């Protein structure tokens, strides 16, 4: 019996847009506030209150659609999706049904082997979020409507993902994109990005193809949970197929929840409920026409996307894929890095300074590298001093830190702190003569005892640098010492 | 001072200090105490508040301070307009004790005009009905014959003006709810163009049809009220922008007749009304002809489908608009509910009356999967055809004249067992809402039972100024609108 299978995953993604106010009212989006304090008649669904579209949310959605290479609808509208639930005050959600804001795009995701893959985007539409039900009052439930009316962008991919790691890569890439665009904080723990994968397998057994029933997985609040849940579903579906032979049929889609404690998917709903949402155009809102002028104004905010930037750093600056990825994880780092390189410094030197010192400092201060108080030009100057051998890598770290506190340029700091390396061969040679004179035993070991030569050499180097008060350039010391001992 | 002074007369008398607002309000309150137990126009009276407001206005006038265009004049508003004072019941058990957290746009405008809001008037539950018999809270009778209905759904607002229980009032019109009770009670009623008056704070029945408008003693008062309530409001997305539809001063040219007025009539339609109504309309047309108007006979080929289309669109919107009344957040909650599903089902079952339930069920059905295209989409097509009928009519004529209702006020209880018969009586008013046009009802005679008859005048969108001038032409040469109740 021969058996192999393909993993088929499509994603339904909700991205919470970081607009100042809600989708259809003026309430500010602030989280962690006391229940029902960020509400008004509109988002409370009070009788007679009417929704007014938040233009900034539509622009953020269009911008994201453009970044996902979608066609932007030039005419769209708002529809009501009806269902009863206590966290939905109007008992309908304002959404977009048959005319989504964006469709037919793709997202290019980096793969672990350094290549990339295009995943097709079916559609992206805007809608309002519901509130939250809590069940801590015994016989009663409580409803907090602070979140009700928050703008959500729902993105639906085609089932083009074929492994758990691809799913994670897409999620991380999408996070990077929306953060680059500044349209979402995209924090999964905080529910800013919610992923609901639809998973099944195409199993080829003895030349025949079988499709397993699709499952939808919910409650995923980390990239790790997302990736693991897919792996779990693959194993579970394979086992189930081998045990029962069950295949995909209309209506046998089921819902599984992710149990993070036991690291497994758990059945939540056996059969898909036959919902009739009774969609119809919301008569309280007017359709949205997207003019050429408006669209191009939004498109001008697009900028270079993270993967393109990452690829450019590898191609044009000769960085490793790993370095390029670290630098492009956050837009502020990437842009700062790029600016420093353009000031005329070796990219790898700047990369090292940023990844080894800059990001660490930014992290300690809970800020970004561009907010450390150092200009790209000064960083380039620092990198050039390392490159020229004027300072050591260790000194560079000290100077970097000092630069965040003072307004002096790196050369001034190096001088004040006596961190300039001695590159003058004559001066260093004099020190070497002195050290050789004072350490005859080590000199003979270095010259003629193969067992101790390396250690002795290191000792002599150390003595020279110590005598220079750490300012002798180690590269030059090693070179001159070697020449002396060989003579 | 007379109980039947117009709002303009009363305003001028108060401004000239011929009488005080306090006196006027007190006299009105006394009359309400005397007459309203029989008429049943009001659901709530704000006696103390009104007297306080009146005193404040009197002080302002005495001090020579500037006051608003309705300063000191007692007005009534339909109880589906949200007010932070008193309750906003919609004539329903569902909202019997509901206090709105905000004021409707028109309430703010009345207050800014220094009007005295004396009370809130009865209506068919959620404005669904043509007789005010569907109010769950009170029975309203026709002031001309207490065995007959006042019309509906703004029956309380019409009866209050007719009975001298306020100087003017506001109602709302979704399918004739201002014009028909105005006609039954012998007052002037204007349904403005859709979008002319903000719906913010009007408890929604059919969002794409609802419009707030005045019920008054004559066209001048209607113009005065339009000056106060019309105009753009950013809180209502369907409110017309004043750059597209300029808001004129409705009083400025009111007394200027329209030269060469061309009146369209639809003989086949008029033939459906009872003889007394047909005769009164013919007499009114003769008055206009004597003023130099030209009579043009036209057809409105799709008028016959208006009722069917209306009862699909209005109920579809209502089924969704009224979903929020669920006992969870506000309003009536059944004490018999054992779980959250029962909170919904029992609260709605016990809180809504039979006509509201009937329309919710009709609308839910029309929007259901599998029926949506056959009902809702088809109704929208009919709506478009009806709009086209009007476009063609206004190519030939300045206005269309027809009856408001096929009959005069009918007996209380006469049609309550036959909802379809009740719906069919809306034949002359409904098309105007479907087309979003302004419609005016002016008194044009009495039948043999001494019941008022109304003439309906319809003009093109956003031409209320012209419409009121046409009405004024008639009222300047007739005195039907000045016939007061035999006391
Ligand atoms: Zn709000």
């Amino acid at each position: 019996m021969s058996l192999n299978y393909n993993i088929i995953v499509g994603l339904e993604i909700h991205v919470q847009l970081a607009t100042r106010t809600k989708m259809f009212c003026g309430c500010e989006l602030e989280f962690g506030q006391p229940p029902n304090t960020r509400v008004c008649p509109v988002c409370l669904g009070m009788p007679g209150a009417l929704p007014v579209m938040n233009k900034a949310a539509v622009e953020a959605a269009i911008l994201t659609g453009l970044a996902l290479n979608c066609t932007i609808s030039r005419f769209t509208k708002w529809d009501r999706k009806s269902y009863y639930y206590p966290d939905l005050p109007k008992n309908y959600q304002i959404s977009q049904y048959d005319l989504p804001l964006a469709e037919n795009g793709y997202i290019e995701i980096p793969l672990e082997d350094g290549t990339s893959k295009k995943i097709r985007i079916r559609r992206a539409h805007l809608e309002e979020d519901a509130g939250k039900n809590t069940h801590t009052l015994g016989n009663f439930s409580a409803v907090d409507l602070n979140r009700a009316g928050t703008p959500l962008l729902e993105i639906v991919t085609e089932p083009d993902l074929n492994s758990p790691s691809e799913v994670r890569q897409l999620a991380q890439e999408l996070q990077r994109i929306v953060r680059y665009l500044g349209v979402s904080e995209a924090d999964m723990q905080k529910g800013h990005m919610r992923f609901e994968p639809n998973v099944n397998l195409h199993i080829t057994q003895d030349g025949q193809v079988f499709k397993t029933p699709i499952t939808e997985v919910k409650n995923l609040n980390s990239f790790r949970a997302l990736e693991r849940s897919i792996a779990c579903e693959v194993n579970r579906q394979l086992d189930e197929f081998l045990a029962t032979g069950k295949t995909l049929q209309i209506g046998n889609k089921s819902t599984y929840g992710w149990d993070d404690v036991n690291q497994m998917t758990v059945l939540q709903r056996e059969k898909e409920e036959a919902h009739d949402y009774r969609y119809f155009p919301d008569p309280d809102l007017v359709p949205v026409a997207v003019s050429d002028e408006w669209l191009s104004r939004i498109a001008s905010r697009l900028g270079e996307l993270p993967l393109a930037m990452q690829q450019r750093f590898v191609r044009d600056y000769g960085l490793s894929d790993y370095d390029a990825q670290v630098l492009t994880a956050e837009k502020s780092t990437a842009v700062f890095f790029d600016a420093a390189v353009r000031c005329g410094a070796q990219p790898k030197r700047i990369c090292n300074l940023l990844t080894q010192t800059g990001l660490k400092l930014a992290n300690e201060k809970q800020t970004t590298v561009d907010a450390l108080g150092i200009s790209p030009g000064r960083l380039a100057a620092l990198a050039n001093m390392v490159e020229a051998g004027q300072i050591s890598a260790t000194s560079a770290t000290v100077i970097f830190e000092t630069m965040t506190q003072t307004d002096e340029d790196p050369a001034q700091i190096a001088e004040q702190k006596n961190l300039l390396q001695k590159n003058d061969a004559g001066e260093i040679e004099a020190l070497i003569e002195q050290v050789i004179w004072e350490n005859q035993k080590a000199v003979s070991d270095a010259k003629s005892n193969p067992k101790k030569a390396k250690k002795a050499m290191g000792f002599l180097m150390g003595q020279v640098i110590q005598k220079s008060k750490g300012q002798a350039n180690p590269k030059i010391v090693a070179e001159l010492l070697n020449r002396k001992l060989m003579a | 001072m007379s109980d039947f002074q117009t709002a303009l007369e009363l305003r001028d008398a108060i401004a000239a200090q011929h009488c005080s607002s306090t006196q006027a309000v007190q006299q009105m309150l006394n009359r309400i105490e005397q007459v309203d137990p029989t008429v049943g126009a009001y659901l709530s009276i704000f006696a103390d508040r009104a007297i306080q407001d009146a005193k404040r206005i009197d002080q302002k006038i005495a001090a020579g301070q500037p006051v608003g265009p309705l300063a000191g004049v007692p007005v009534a508003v339909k109880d589906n307009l949200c007010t932070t004072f008193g309750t906003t019941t919609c004539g329903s058990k569902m909202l019997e004790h509901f206090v709105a957290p905000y004021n409707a746009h028109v309430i703010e405008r009345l207050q800014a005009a220094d009007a005295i809001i004396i009370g809130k008037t009865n209506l068919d539950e959620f404005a669904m009905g043509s007789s005010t018999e569907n109010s769950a809270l009170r029975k309203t009778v026709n002031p001309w014959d207490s065995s007959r209905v006042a019309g509906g759904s703004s029956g309380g607002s019409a009866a209050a003006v007719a009975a001298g229980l306020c100087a003017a009032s506001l109602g709302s019109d979704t399918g004739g709810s201002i014009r028909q009770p105005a006609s039954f009670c012998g007052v002037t009623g204007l349904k403005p163009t859709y979008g002319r008056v903000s719906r913010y704070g009007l408890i929604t029945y059919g969002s794409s049809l609802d419009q707030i408008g005045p019920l008054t003693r004559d066209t001048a008062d209607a113009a005065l009220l339009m000056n106060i309530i019309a105009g753009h409001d950013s809180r209502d997305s369907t409110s017309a922008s004043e750059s597209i539809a300029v808001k004129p001063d409705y009083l400025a040219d009111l007394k200027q007749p329209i030269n060469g007025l061309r009146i369209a009539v639809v003989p086949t339609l008029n033939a459906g009304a009872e003889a007394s109504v047909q005769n009164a309309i013919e007499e009114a047309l003769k008055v206009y002809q004597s003023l130099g108007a030209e009579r043009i006979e036209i057809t409105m080929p799709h008028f016959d489908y208006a009722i069917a289309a209306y009862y699909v669109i209005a109920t579809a919107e209502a089924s969704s608009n009224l979903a929020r009344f669920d006992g969870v957040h506000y309003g009536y909650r059944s004490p018999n509910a054992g779980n959250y599903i029962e909170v919904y089902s029992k609260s709605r079952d016990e809180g809504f009356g039979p006509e509201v339930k009937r329309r919710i069920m009709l609308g839910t059905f029309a929007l259901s999967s599998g029926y949506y295209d056959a009902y809702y989409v088809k109704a929208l097509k009919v709506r478009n055809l009806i709009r086209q009928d009007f476009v063609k009519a206004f190519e030939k004529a300045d206005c269309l004249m027809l009856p408001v209702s096929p009959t005069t006020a009918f007996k209380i209880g006469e049609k309550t067992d036959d909802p379809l018969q009740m719906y069919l009586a809306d034949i002359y008013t409904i098309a105007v809402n479907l087309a979003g046009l302004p419609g005016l009802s002016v008194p044009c005679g009495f039948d043999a039972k001494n019941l008022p008859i109304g003439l309906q005048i319809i003009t093109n969108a956003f031409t209320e100024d012209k419409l009121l001038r046409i009405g004024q032409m008639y009222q300047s040469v007739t005195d039907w609108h000045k016939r007061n109740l035999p006391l």
Side-chain angles (χ1 to χ4, degrees):
Chain A
M1 180 181 96
S2 76
L3 182 147
N4 54 52
Y5 62 88
N6 285 323
I7 302 168
I8 311 290
V9 185
L11 290 173
E12 200 181 295
I13 308 155
H14 286 92
V15 179
Q16 184 180 301
L17 299 178
T19 46
R20 192 178 61 79
T21 55
K22 291 184 179 181
M23 188 66 238
F24 295 109
C25 65
C27 291
E28 297 206 1
L29 288 178
E30 278 182 285
F31 299 92
Q33 301 297 321
N36 299 311
T37 57
R38 295 300 178 275
V39 292
C40 72
V42 177
C43 58
L44 287 174
M46 279 288 167
L50 297 169
V52 176
M53 181 188 94
N54 179 349
K55 206 172 166 191
V58 176
E59 291 183 350
I62 290 177
L63 189 62
T64 311
L66 289 170
L68 298 178
N69 307 289
C70 290
T71 307
I72 304 299
S73 299
R74 309 309 289 269
F75 179 86
T76 181
K77 64 183 170 71
W78 304 101
D79 299 290
R80 292 183 181 177
K81 177 182 181 179
S82 294
Y83 64 93
Y84 279 80
Y85 206 60
D87 66 7
L88 190 68
K90 304 185 294 295
N91 288 316
Y92 61 80
Q93 178 192 33
I94 306 177
S95 180
Q96 297 190 292
Y97 181 51
D98 52 348
L99 293 174
L101 206 48
E103 359 174 41
N104 301 326
Y106 65 86
I107 176 172
E108 190 174 358
I109 61 167
L111 299 182
E112 278 167 343
D113 63 5
T115 63
S116 66
K117 178 176 174 179
K118 282 179 183 172
I119 307 298
R120 289 172 298 158
I121 304 290
R122 186 179 298 169
R123 57 181 279 160
H125 73 254
L126 257 177
E127 60 188 29
E128 55 173 349
D129 205 349
K132 262 183 189 156
N133 295 339
T134 53
H135 310 280
T136 50
L137 298 177
N139 279 335
F140 287 88
S141 291
V143 184
D144 176 9
L145 295 175
N146 282 353
R147 198 181 71 180
T150 300
L152 285 184
L153 184 65
E154 181 178 317
I155 302 168
V156 182
T157 78
E158 295 292 345
D160 290 349
L161 295 150
N162 302 113
S163 73
S165 78
E166 282 183 15
V167 173
R168 178 179 45 78
Q169 293 282 10
L170 183 140
Q172 286 175 330
E173 187 58 22
L174 182 67
Q175 182 189 54
R176 194 159 70 145
I177 290 173
V178 295
R179 284 181 173 172
Y180 262 60
L181 299 174
V183 297
S184 175
E185 291 172 40
D187 188 332
M188 268 187 89
Q189 264 82 30
K190 289 183 185 162
H192 297 158
M193 277 209 309
R194 291 167 240 163
F195 292 89
E196 284 168 10
N198 276 250
V199 190
N200 80 336
L201 304 177
H202 289 186
I203 299 172
T204 310
Q205 191 178 31
D206 301 326
Q208 218 188 327
V209 178
F210 301 91
K211 297 176 180 177
T212 58
I214 295 174
T215 57
E216 183 173 319
V217 189
K218 289 182 184 279
N219 315 337
L220 300 165
N221 59 5
S222 70
F223 292 125
R224 177 194 288 236
L226 175 62
E227 184 172 14
R228 290 201 177 164
S229 74
I230 309 284
C232 269
E233 265 309 296
V234 170
N235 290 332
R236 196 196 57 73
Q237 290 191 16
L238 198 58
D239 289 348
E240 187 183 76
F241 174 75
L242 292 174
T244 66
K246 242 205 262 176
T247 56
L248 178 65
Q249 270 153 22
I250 289 170
N252 74 347
K253 178 174 161 179
S254 52
T255 305
Y256 277 71
W258 175 247
D259 176 348
D260 210 45
V261 176
N262 296 306
Q263 296 281 301
M264 59 187 286
T265 55
V266 182
L267 182 66
Q268 281 185 341
R269 242 195 344 258
E270 189 84 61
K271 269 187 184 158
E272 200 174 12
E273 281 171 46
H275 271 300
D276 183 355
Y277 290 118
R278 301 193 305 278
Y279 280 103
F280 83 108
D282 191 329
D284 286 334
L285 286 158
V286 290
V288 186
V290 182
S291 67
D292 289 346
E293 193 266 328
W294 192 25
L295 188 59
S296 64
R297 202 151 24 92
I298 297 166
S300 70
R301 284 162 50 193
L302 201 52
E304 192 178 14
L305 290 176
L307 186 60
M309 225 169 183
Q310 182 182 330
Q311 288 165 345
R312 178 165 63 82
F313 288 175
V314 172
R315 190 181 63 235
D316 295 357
Y317 297 157
L319 296 185
S320 71
D321 198 50
Y322 175 79
D323 280 343
Q325 206 179 322
V326 172
L327 287 171
T328 53
E330 274 185 67
K331 188 181 186 178
S332 53
T333 314
V335 169
F336 189 75
F337 164 78
D338 208 19
V341 172
R342 281 163 209 260
C343 287
Q346 218 268 316
K348 178 64 182 163
R349 287 278 175 219
I350 294 182
C351 170
N352 288 349
L353 285 169
L354 277 179
T355 54
Q356 285 158 21
T357 310
L359 287 173
K360 196 176 109 254
L361 286 174
N363 194 29
E364 280 166 15
K365 295 186 178 176
Q366 302 211 321
T367 182
T368 50
V369 289
D370 60 339
L372 285 170
I374 301 177
S375 70
R378 289 234 165 118
L379 182 65
L382 181 63
N384 282 332
M385 286 176 74
V386 180
E387 185 67 25
Q390 291 169 298
I391 50 170
S392 67
T394 322
S395 302
T397 304
V398 175
I399 296 169
F400 199 127
E401 284 191 44
T402 312
M403 278 160 74
T404 65
Q405 289 146 17
T406 72
D407 194 34
E408 290 164 327
D409 66 41
Q412 276 176 297
I413 297 169
E415 203 163 327
Q416 277 163 22
K417 295 200 176 247
N418 256 334
L419 295 173
L420 285 171
Q421 288 185 348
K422 292 213 163 69
N423 295 323
D424 175 2
E427 207 175 317
I428 293 171
E429 238 166 314
L431 292 173
I432 288 173
E433 297 283 3
Q434 202 183 341
V435 169
I436 287 176
W437 180 252
E438 287 169 6
N439 299 281
Q440 292 297 326
K441 172 79 174 79
V443 171
S444 81
D445 280 350
K447 273 183 170 172
S448 51
N449 189 338
K451 278 186 188 166
K452 292 185 177 172
K454 207 174 170 189
K455 202 179 164 192
M457 190 67 187
F459 170 76
L460 292 170
M461 284 248 336
Q463 288 295 308
V464 177
I465 288 171
Q466 204 179 341
K467 279 202 187 304
S468 78
K469 299 194 180 77
Q471 290 174 7
N473 184 337
K475 237 174 161 179
I476 298 172
V477 174
E479 207 182 294
L480 293 177
L481 190 61
N482 259 322
R483 211 186 296 160
K484 256 312 180 256
L485 296 178
M486 293 307 151
Chain B
M1 103 201 76
S2 146
D3 292 321
F4 297 98
Q5 267 182 304
T6 69
L8 261 176
E9 286 164 358
L10 190 52
R11 176 195 78 174
D12 291 344
I14 292 167
Q17 293 179 277
H18 293 151
C19 76
S20 71
S21 171
T22 314
Q23 277 174 299
V25 168
Q26 191 56 60
Q27 186 177 325
M28 204 66 94
L29 288 169
N30 293 344
R31 186 169 165 82
I32 290 169
E33 205 174 294
Q34 227 174 43
V35 177
D36 204 43
T38 315
V39 176
Y42 283 96
L43 286 174
S44 48
I45 312 278
F46 309 123
D48 294 346
R49 195 190 147 83
I51 292 290
Q52 273 174 23
D53 283 352
K55 281 183 180 159
R56 188 171 46 80
I57 301 297
D58 284 336
Q59 280 164 9
K60 271 171 102 174
I61 291 169
Q65 288 168 7
V67 287
L70 213 51
V73 177
V75 297
V77 298
K78 191 175 180 179
D79 206 20
N80 58 355
L81 294 166
C82 287
T83 52
T84 54
F85 44 95
T87 52
T88 302
T89 68
C90 265
S92 179
K93 191 180 169 187
M94 185 59 91
L95 293 178
E96 190 173 359
H97 305 292
F98 175 70
V99 178
Y102 69 104
N103 282 322
H105 176 78
V106 291
I107 301 294
E108 289 176 357
R109 289 286 181 104
L110 285 177
Q111 288 179 332
D114 288 331
I116 311 294
I117 298 170
I118 197 167
K120 298 180 83 175
T121 54
N122 200 12
L123 67 157
D124 284 300
E125 184 176 3
F126 286 99
M128 295 178 185
S130 314
S131 66
T132 312
E133 290 167 288
N134 294 332
S135 171
L137 305 179
R138 199 172 187 191
K139 184 169 145 183
T140 301
V141 302
N142 193 309
W144 293 89
D145 178 345
S146 61
S147 71
R148 292 177 184 270
V149 301
S153 65
S154 310
S157 291
V161 175
L165 307 180
C166 62
S169 66
L170 292 184
S172 67
D173 189 318
T174 308
S177 285
I178 288 174
R179 290 158 288 157
Q180 185 254 26
S183 155
F184 279 14
C185 294
V187 302
T188 301
L190 172 65
K191 181 215 101 81
T193 310
Y194 184 78
R196 182 78 286 180
V197 179
S198 168
R199 297 185 292 118
Y200 189 76
L202 164 67
I203 298 186
T204 325
Y205 159 25
S207 307
S208 74
L209 303 155
D210 295 343
Q211 210 31 216
I212 300 165
L215 293 103
T216 54
R217 299 206 191 293
D218 61 16
T219 50
D221 277 2
L224 172 65
L225 267 108
M226 282 298 284
N227 274 349
I228 292 162
I229 63 170
H232 179 68
D233 172 23
S234 60
R235 295 170 298 185
D236 174 2
S237 308
T238 64
S239 157
S241 128
E242 275 167 49
S243 62
I244 296 164
V246 181
K247 178 193 166 188
D249 178 346
Y250 296 99
L251 276 169
D253 296 327
L254 185 70
K255 302 232 160 100
Q256 297 291 316
I258 310 276
N259 290 324
L261 181 69
R262 296 163 305 158
I263 302 168
V265 291
V266 190
T268 49
L269 264 180
N270 294 5
E274 61 184 23
S276 60
V277 173
Q278 282 192 50
N279 291 338
I281 301 297
E282 280 307 318
E283 289 305 314
L285 287 165
K286 279 180 195 153
V287 170
Y288 275 103
Q289 280 168 305
S290 75
L291 294 170
E294 181 192 353
R295 172 183 171 141
I296 301 163
E297 297 197 348
I298 61 158
T299 56
M300 296 287 278
H302 301 97
F303 224 88
D304 287 348
Y305 305 103
I307 289 181
Y310 171 85
Y311 278 96
V312 170
I313 293 169
T315 59
E317 292 179 1
S319 71
S320 168
N321 287 329
L322 271 64
R324 68 189 67 197
F325 303 107
D326 59 4
V328 174
H329 303 275
Y330 49 77
Y332 178 78
R333 179 185 290 187
S334 170
N336 310 312
N339 56 49
Y340 88 89
I341 299 289
E342 283 181 7
V343 170
Y344 291 149
S345 57
K346 294 200 168 168
S347 300
R348 288 168 71 78
D349 182 34
E350 295 160 21
F352 286 139
E355 183 58 30
V356 173
K357 286 182 199 167
R358 183 179 298 123
R359 296 195 191 192
I360 289 173
M361 284 191 280
L362 275 171
T364 304
F365 178 77
L367 290 178
S368 295
S369 158
Y371 298 98
Y372 182 80
D373 289 335
Y375 292 97
Y376 187 74
V377 173
K378 194 164 265 179
L380 292 184
K381 286 179 183 160
V382 170
R383 185 176 195 169
N384 239 339
L385 292 170
I386 288 169
R387 279 198 185 114
Q388 294 308 313
D389 279 358
F390 278 108
V391 168
K392 285 185 191 131
F394 294 132
E395 282 167 3
K396 298 187 193 112
D398 296 294
C399 65
L400 183 67
M401 288 191 189
L402 70 166
V404 176
S405 171
T407 67
T408 52
F410 46 87
K411 288 268 187 192
I412 288 167
E414 190 182 324
K415 296 186 181 177
T416 40
D417 294 335
D418 191 349
L420 193 60
Q421 209 49 45
M422 191 84 92
Y423 295 174
L424 290 173
D426 298 339
I427 175 75
Y428 295 126
T429 48
I430 265 173
V432 171
N433 299 78
L434 288 172
L437 299 173
L440 180 69
S441 170
V442 290
C444 70
F446 289 83
D447 70 1
K449 289 163 275 183
N450 198 34
L451 296 169
I453 299 168
L455 165 71
Q456 185 178 201
I457 314 169
I458 302 158
T459 57
N460 225 333
F462 300 109
T463 59
E464 287 85 352
D465 47 345
K466 181 174 166 186
L467 177 57
L468 289 166
R469 280 167 68 190
I470 298 169
Q472 172 68 27
M473 283 167 74
Y474 183 72
Q475 290 190 342
S476 65
V477 296
T478 58
D479 68 352
W480 302 113
H481 61 288
K482 290 184 182 161
R483 302 273 177 102
N484 295 325
L485 288 174
L487 284 171

